[in-house]
Amino acid sequence: SGQILWTADASGRIAEGADSWRKFTGREVDRSEPLGWADALHPDDRERALSNWAAALANATPIDAEVRLRHASGEWRWVRARALPLLHDDGEIRCWIGVITDITERKNAELEARRLHDKEREASALLDAIFASAPIGMAVWDRDLRLQRINAGLAEMNGLPVDAHIGKRLPELLPGLEDLDELERLLRQVLE
């Protein structure tokens, strides 16, 4: 299972959940060491996790954090760790209940999406640079032959501002210009 269910006493010492912890991490819970579980955390996440846990214990506040945990296979797995204090009527902590859920697949998908977004942004910046510096008129049309993007060179040739071109077809922009029907026929042939 990708879930670790656990309980801890008011001081944070693990009371139950050793079996699911052992299955996921391959480690035993050392009940004599209240923070022994931290050894399974990725070194880059350990200090933050311990600090958050100390603050939660001191203030009886819930935890919802994403950290990397060493899996029994030896790989680092992303997990979402949530803990909720159960309180006595006087507000003192009675115990803690928590769940740790493996979210590695989601995190990997997020990282891949971020990588693709960065790559797309780089390609767009390159296209912007080409459009801005090209000594010739350049345009991008959609499938309906409506202008989606043009450079300043083409706008200057047409005698209209760049914004006046966007979303328009050439016959709308330049009525009466010869050979526009032939140009559109050739562009449609390219699209086909």
Side-chain angles (χ1 to χ4, degrees):
S1 169
Q3 298 255 326
I4 301 169
L5 303 172
W6 57 274
T7 63
D9 64 19
S11 69
R13 189 178 306 274
I14 301 299
E16 294 179 39
D19 289 342
S20 57
W21 175 262
R22 184 176 45 256
K23 286 177 187 171
F24 190 86
T25 66
R27 297 167 168 257
E28 295 294 328
V29 172
D30 182 357
R31 294 189 203 290
S32 67
E33 179 54 54
L35 300 176
W37 52 267
D39 292 339
L41 292 172
H42 191 282
D44 294 344
D45 300 336
R46 191 172 296 137
E47 186 177 325
R48 177 176 45 91
L50 288 171
S51 176
N52 289 345
W53 182 235
L57 287 171
N59 301 309
T61 54
I63 285 184
D64 191 345
E66 294 180 0
V67 295
R68 288 161 290 182
L69 192 62
R70 177 76 75 180
H71 187 263
S73 67
E75 74 175 304
W76 292 107
R77 304 287 295 178
W78 278 101
V79 297
R80 180 178 181 196
R82 292 175 288 170
L84 185 68
L86 299 182
L87 306 177
H88 290 289
D89 291 338
D90 63 2
E92 291 296 313
I93 299 173
R94 182 172 41 138
C95 66
W96 289 84
I97 57 170
V99 62
I100 298 172
T101 306
D102 188 339
I103 59 167
T104 303
E105 306 315 319
R106 188 198 85 201
K107 288 297 267 191
N108 288 343
E110 288 172 359
L111 291 171
E112 178 64 10
R114 191 174 311 127
R115 187 189 67 75
L116 291 174
H117 176 74
D118 290 346
K119 189 174 181 181
E120 182 180 310
R121 193 172 62 232
E122 288 172 14
S124 181
L126 178 61
L127 185 58
D128 287 345
I130 291 169
F131 260 66
S133 63
I136 60 172
M138 296 181 72
V140 175
W141 284 274
D142 66 11
R143 290 190 155 289
D144 296 323
L145 298 182
R146 295 194 179 282
L147 289 163
Q148 298 301 302
R149 180 180 199 163
I150 73 161
N151 70 349
L154 184 57
E156 186 177 321
M157 287 179 209
N158 292 338
L160 297 168
V162 170
D163 292 345
H165 291 77
I166 306 306
K168 304 269 181 24
R169 293 178 50 230
L170 288 179
E172 296 172 72
L173 289 168
L174 307 169
L177 190 64
E178 293 181 25
D179 298 325
L180 285 181
D181 290 338
E182 178 64 11
L183 176 60
E184 282 204 340
R185 185 188 69 70
L186 290 172
L187 289 171
R188 289 192 190 287
Q189 186 177 351
V190 169
L191 284 172
E192 290 171 10

